[in-house]
mmCIF file of all heavy atoms in Angstrom:
data_model
loop_
_atom_site.group_PDB
_atom_site.id
_atom_site.type_symbol
_atom_site.label_atom_id
_atom_site.label_comp_id
_atom_site.label_asym_id
_atom_site.label_seq_id
_atom_site.Cartn_x
_atom_site.Cartn_y
_atom_site.Cartn_z
ATOM 1 N N PRO A 1 0.823 -1.220 0.000
ATOM 2 C CA PRO A 1 0.000 0.000 0.000
ATOM 3 C C PRO A 1 0.849 1.258 0.000
ATOM 4 O O PRO A 1 1.917 1.328 0.622
ATOM 5 C CB PRO A 1 -0.806 -0.116 1.298
ATOM 6 C CG PRO A 1 -0.861 -1.583 1.581
ATOM 7 C CD PRO A 1 0.462 -2.119 1.122
ATOM 8 N N MET A 2 0.377 2.274 -0.730
ATOM 9 C CA MET A 2 1.040 3.573 -0.718
ATOM 10 C C MET A 2 0.000 4.652 -1.001
ATOM 11 O O MET A 2 -1.031 4.398 -1.637
ATOM 12 C CB MET A 2 2.171 3.645 -1.745
ATOM 13 C CG MET A 2 1.741 3.553 -3.192
ATOM 14 S SD MET A 2 3.072 3.992 -4.370
ATOM 15 C CE MET A 2 4.302 2.754 -4.009
ATOM 16 N N SER A 3 0.271 5.847 -0.524
ATOM 17 C CA SER A 3 -0.627 6.975 -0.756
ATOM 18 C C SER A 3 -0.328 7.603 -2.110
ATOM 19 O O SER A 3 0.711 7.319 -2.739
ATOM 20 C CB SER A 3 -0.443 8.023 0.338
ATOM 21 O OG SER A 3 0.852 8.610 0.248
ATOM 22 N N ALA A 4 -1.225 8.484 -2.552
ATOM 23 C CA ALA A 4 -0.990 9.194 -3.803
ATOM 24 C C ALA A 4 0.272 10.033 -3.720
ATOM 25 O O ALA A 4 1.057 10.107 -4.674
ATOM 26 C CB ALA A 4 -2.200 10.069 -4.128
ATOM 27 N N ARG A 5 0.505 10.654 -2.564
ATOM 28 C CA ARG A 5 1.705 11.463 -2.400
ATOM 29 C C ARG A 5 2.953 10.590 -2.468
ATOM 30 O O ARG A 5 3.962 10.981 -3.094
ATOM 31 C CB ARG A 5 1.648 12.192 -1.054
ATOM 32 C CG ARG A 5 2.793 13.143 -0.794
ATOM 33 C CD ARG A 5 2.972 14.151 -1.914
ATOM 34 N NE ARG A 5 1.746 14.858 -2.247
ATOM 35 C CZ ARG A 5 1.581 15.606 -3.314
ATOM 36 N NH1 ARG A 5 2.564 15.717 -4.189
ATOM 37 N NH2 ARG A 5 0.430 16.233 -3.547
ATOM 38 N N GLU A 6 2.930 9.392 -1.882
ATOM 39 C CA GLU A 6 4.068 8.477 -1.975
ATOM 40 C C GLU A 6 4.269 8.008 -3.418
ATOM 41 O O GLU A 6 5.402 7.789 -3.851
ATOM 42 C CB GLU A 6 3.848 7.286 -1.046
ATOM 43 C CG GLU A 6 3.953 7.644 0.435
ATOM 44 C CD GLU A 6 3.488 6.517 1.336
ATOM 45 O OE1 GLU A 6 2.602 5.729 0.914
ATOM 46 O OE2 GLU A 6 4.007 6.428 2.471
ATOM 47 N N PHE A 7 3.177 7.865 -4.146
ATOM 48 C CA PHE A 7 3.265 7.471 -5.555
ATOM 49 C C PHE A 7 4.027 8.544 -6.342
ATOM 50 O O PHE A 7 4.899 8.225 -7.157
ATOM 51 C CB PHE A 7 1.859 7.285 -6.134
ATOM 52 C CG PHE A 7 1.818 6.671 -7.504
ATOM 53 C CD1 PHE A 7 1.711 5.303 -7.673
ATOM 54 C CD2 PHE A 7 1.870 7.480 -8.639
ATOM 55 C CE1 PHE A 7 1.657 4.739 -8.950
ATOM 56 C CE2 PHE A 7 1.830 6.933 -9.917
ATOM 57 C CZ PHE A 7 1.720 5.558 -10.065
ATOM 58 N N VAL A 8 3.711 9.803 -6.081
ATOM 59 C CA VAL A 8 4.419 10.894 -6.753
ATOM 60 C C VAL A 8 5.891 10.910 -6.350
ATOM 61 O O VAL A 8 6.789 11.078 -7.187
ATOM 62 C CB VAL A 8 3.766 12.256 -6.435
ATOM 63 C CG1 VAL A 8 4.624 13.411 -6.969
ATOM 64 C CG2 VAL A 8 2.374 12.324 -7.032
ATOM 65 N N GLU A 9 6.148 10.747 -5.071
ATOM 66 C CA GLU A 9 7.533 10.778 -4.585
ATOM 67 C C GLU A 9 8.367 9.660 -5.192
ATOM 68 O O GLU A 9 9.574 9.814 -5.398
ATOM 69 C CB GLU A 9 7.546 10.683 -3.063
ATOM 70 C CG GLU A 9 6.991 11.934 -2.378
ATOM 71 C CD GLU A 9 6.813 11.758 -0.881
ATOM 72 O OE1 GLU A 9 7.008 10.613 -0.391
ATOM 73 O OE2 GLU A 9 6.472 12.741 -0.199
ATOM 74 N N GLY A 10 7.741 8.520 -5.487
ATOM 75 C CA GLY A 10 8.465 7.403 -6.089
ATOM 76 C C GLY A 10 8.446 7.414 -7.602
ATOM 77 O O GLY A 10 9.026 6.521 -8.246
ATOM 78 N N PHE A 11 7.805 8.413 -8.200
ATOM 79 C CA PHE A 11 7.654 8.480 -9.652
ATOM 80 C C PHE A 11 8.941 8.999 -10.298
ATOM 81 O O PHE A 11 9.447 10.063 -9.921
ATOM 82 C CB PHE A 11 6.487 9.396 -10.020
ATOM 83 C CG PHE A 11 6.115 9.370 -11.472
ATOM 84 C CD1 PHE A 11 5.198 8.454 -11.953
ATOM 85 C CD2 PHE A 11 6.681 10.276 -12.361
ATOM 86 C CE1 PHE A 11 4.855 8.429 -13.300
ATOM 87 C CE2 PHE A 11 6.348 10.263 -13.700
ATOM 88 C CZ PHE A 11 5.433 9.339 -14.169
ATOM 89 N N ASP A 12 9.461 8.270 -11.251
ATOM 90 C CA ASP A 12 10.677 8.661 -11.959
ATOM 91 C C ASP A 12 10.383 8.624 -13.461
ATOM 92 O O ASP A 12 9.981 7.585 -14.001
ATOM 93 C CB ASP A 12 11.826 7.707 -11.627
ATOM 94 C CG ASP A 12 13.094 8.050 -12.390
ATOM 95 O OD1 ASP A 12 13.797 8.974 -11.971
ATOM 96 O OD2 ASP A 12 13.347 7.378 -13.416
ATOM 97 N N VAL A 13 10.565 9.750 -14.131
ATOM 98 C CA VAL A 13 10.169 9.847 -15.535
ATOM 99 C C VAL A 13 10.934 8.862 -16.416
ATOM 100 O O VAL A 13 10.352 8.245 -17.319
ATOM 101 C CB VAL A 13 10.362 11.290 -16.049
ATOM 102 C CG1 VAL A 13 10.092 11.367 -17.546
ATOM 103 C CG2 VAL A 13 9.443 12.240 -15.299
ATOM 104 N N GLU A 14 12.229 8.682 -16.180
ATOM 105 C CA GLU A 14 12.994 7.758 -17.020
ATOM 106 C C GLU A 14 12.546 6.310 -16.820
ATOM 107 O O GLU A 14 12.432 5.550 -17.777
ATOM 108 C CB GLU A 14 14.485 7.909 -16.744
ATOM 109 C CG GLU A 14 15.081 9.172 -17.330
ATOM 110 C CD GLU A 14 14.723 9.360 -18.807
ATOM 111 O OE1 GLU A 14 14.948 8.411 -19.591
ATOM 112 O OE2 GLU A 14 14.213 10.428 -19.171
ATOM 113 N N HIS A 15 12.299 5.920 -15.573
ATOM 114 C CA HIS A 15 11.739 4.589 -15.322
ATOM 115 C C HIS A 15 10.385 4.466 -16.001
ATOM 116 O O HIS A 15 10.052 3.421 -16.584
ATOM 117 C CB HIS A 15 11.607 4.348 -13.824
ATOM 118 C CG HIS A 15 10.847 3.094 -13.486
ATOM 119 N ND1 HIS A 15 11.426 1.853 -13.465
ATOM 120 C CD2 HIS A 15 9.529 2.904 -13.185
ATOM 121 C CE1 HIS A 15 10.525 0.940 -13.176
ATOM 122 N NE2 HIS A 15 9.350 1.554 -12.995
ATOM 123 N N PHE A 16 9.598 5.510 -15.905
ATOM 124 C CA PHE A 16 8.271 5.555 -16.517
ATOM 125 C C PHE A 16 8.375 5.286 -18.019
ATOM 126 O O PHE A 16 7.641 4.459 -18.576
ATOM 127 C CB PHE A 16 7.675 6.935 -16.223
ATOM 128 C CG PHE A 16 6.355 7.227 -16.865
ATOM 129 C CD1 PHE A 16 5.245 6.429 -16.650
ATOM 130 C CD2 PHE A 16 6.212 8.357 -17.674
ATOM 131 C CE1 PHE A 16 4.024 6.740 -17.229
ATOM 132 C CE2 PHE A 16 5.000 8.678 -18.246
ATOM 133 C CZ PHE A 16 3.901 7.861 -18.023
ATOM 134 N N ARG A 17 9.289 5.961 -18.710
ATOM 135 C CA ARG A 17 9.458 5.765 -20.146
ATOM 136 C C ARG A 17 9.847 4.321 -20.476
ATOM 137 O O ARG A 17 9.306 3.718 -21.408
ATOM 138 C CB ARG A 17 10.538 6.712 -20.686
ATOM 139 C CG ARG A 17 10.207 8.193 -20.648
ATOM 140 C CD ARG A 17 11.398 8.987 -21.156
ATOM 141 N NE ARG A 17 11.260 10.407 -20.937
ATOM 142 C CZ ARG A 17 10.651 11.257 -21.759
ATOM 143 N NH1 ARG A 17 10.110 10.790 -22.862
ATOM 144 N NH2 ARG A 17 10.593 12.548 -21.480
ATOM 145 N N LYS A 18 10.774 3.767 -19.710
ATOM 146 C CA LYS A 18 11.224 2.400 -19.979
ATOM 147 C C LYS A 18 10.097 1.399 -19.767
ATOM 148 O O LYS A 18 9.935 0.461 -20.546
ATOM 149 C CB LYS A 18 12.416 2.069 -19.079
ATOM 150 C CG LYS A 18 13.676 2.864 -19.424
ATOM 151 C CD LYS A 18 14.797 2.571 -18.442
ATOM 152 C CE LYS A 18 16.033 3.405 -18.750
ATOM 153 N NZ LYS A 18 17.116 3.164 -17.760
ATOM 154 N N TRP A 19 9.333 1.593 -18.688
ATOM 155 C CA TRP A 19 8.201 0.691 -18.445
ATOM 156 C C TRP A 19 7.187 0.776 -19.577
ATOM 157 O O TRP A 19 6.691 -0.252 -20.046
ATOM 158 C CB TRP A 19 7.522 1.038 -17.114
ATOM 159 C CG TRP A 19 6.130 0.482 -17.065
ATOM 160 C CD1 TRP A 19 5.761 -0.832 -17.005
ATOM 161 C CD2 TRP A 19 4.909 1.219 -17.150
ATOM 162 N NE1 TRP A 19 4.394 -0.963 -17.022
ATOM 163 C CE2 TRP A 19 3.855 0.286 -17.113
ATOM 164 C CE3 TRP A 19 4.606 2.585 -17.236
ATOM 165 C CZ2 TRP A 19 2.515 0.679 -17.174
ATOM 166 C CZ3 TRP A 19 3.284 2.977 -17.292
ATOM 167 C CH2 TRP A 19 2.260 2.029 -17.263
ATOM 168 N N VAL A 20 6.876 1.984 -20.046
ATOM 169 C CA VAL A 20 5.896 2.147 -21.120
ATOM 170 C C VAL A 20 6.354 1.405 -22.367
ATOM 171 O O VAL A 20 5.557 0.716 -23.010
ATOM 172 C CB VAL A 20 5.660 3.641 -21.428
ATOM 173 C CG1 VAL A 20 4.893 3.808 -22.742
ATOM 174 C CG2 VAL A 20 4.890 4.307 -20.290
ATOM 175 N N ARG A 21 7.622 1.522 -22.718
ATOM 176 C CA ARG A 21 8.117 0.828 -23.913
ATOM 177 C C ARG A 21 7.984 -0.679 -23.769
ATOM 178 O O ARG A 21 7.570 -1.379 -24.711
ATOM 179 C CB ARG A 21 9.570 1.230 -24.190
ATOM 180 C CG ARG A 21 9.724 2.644 -24.737
ATOM 181 C CD ARG A 21 11.115 2.880 -25.301
ATOM 182 N NE ARG A 21 12.112 2.972 -24.242
ATOM 183 C CZ ARG A 21 12.473 4.104 -23.668
ATOM 184 N NH1 ARG A 21 11.908 5.238 -24.031
ATOM 185 N NH2 ARG A 21 13.408 4.121 -22.731
ATOM 186 N N ARG A 22 8.318 -1.214 -22.593
ATOM 187 C CA ARG A 22 8.186 -2.658 -22.380
ATOM 188 C C ARG A 22 6.724 -3.084 -22.435
ATOM 189 O O ARG A 22 6.369 -4.088 -23.065
ATOM 190 C CB ARG A 22 8.793 -3.050 -21.029
ATOM 191 C CG ARG A 22 10.309 -3.014 -20.984
ATOM 192 C CD ARG A 22 10.839 -3.697 -19.732
ATOM 193 N NE ARG A 22 10.448 -3.000 -18.512
ATOM 194 C CZ ARG A 22 11.179 -2.057 -17.924
ATOM 195 N NH1 ARG A 22 12.326 -1.674 -18.466
ATOM 196 N NH2 ARG A 22 10.769 -1.498 -16.799
ATOM 197 N N SER A 23 5.878 -2.318 -21.774
ATOM 198 C CA SER A 23 4.471 -2.678 -21.709
ATOM 199 C C SER A 23 3.793 -2.558 -23.073
ATOM 200 O O SER A 23 3.002 -3.418 -23.461
ATOM 201 C CB SER A 23 3.758 -1.779 -20.694
ATOM 202 O OG SER A 23 2.392 -2.090 -20.632
ATOM 203 N N ALA A 24 4.111 -1.489 -23.803
ATOM 204 C CA ALA A 24 3.515 -1.309 -25.126
ATOM 205 C C ALA A 24 3.912 -2.449 -26.059
ATOM 206 O O ALA A 24 3.099 -2.941 -26.844
ATOM 207 C CB ALA A 24 3.930 0.036 -25.705
ATOM 208 N N ALA A 25 5.159 -2.896 -25.962
ATOM 209 C CA ALA A 25 5.618 -4.002 -26.796
ATOM 210 C C ALA A 25 4.883 -5.293 -26.466
ATOM 211 O O ALA A 25 4.672 -6.144 -27.340
ATOM 212 C CB ALA A 25 7.123 -4.192 -26.629
ATOM 213 N N ALA A 26 4.469 -5.428 -25.193
ATOM 214 C CA ALA A 26 3.760 -6.629 -24.755
ATOM 215 C C ALA A 26 2.250 -6.536 -24.979
ATOM 216 O O ALA A 26 1.524 -7.491 -24.713
ATOM 217 C CB ALA A 26 4.040 -6.886 -23.276
ATOM 218 N N GLY A 27 1.781 -5.384 -25.442
ATOM 219 C CA GLY A 27 0.350 -5.225 -25.691
ATOM 220 C C GLY A 27 -0.457 -4.802 -24.486
ATOM 221 O O GLY A 27 -1.684 -4.865 -24.511
#
């Protein structure tokens, strides 16, 4: 469990981009 504020604090744009590319490739 995490709060919305903790979600923002753990949010990293570069990790975000890499995850999107992997996920998009997997459908």
Side-chain angles (χ1 to χ4, degrees):
M2 65 168 62
S3 67
R5 184 54 52 192
E6 289 170 330
F7 189 91
V8 172
E9 291 171 354
F11 189 89
D12 178 80
V13 174
E14 286 310 308
H15 171 83
F16 175 58
R17 293 177 190 273
K18 292 176 182 178
W19 160 68
V20 167
R21 287 194 288 269
R22 287 192 295 268
S23 179

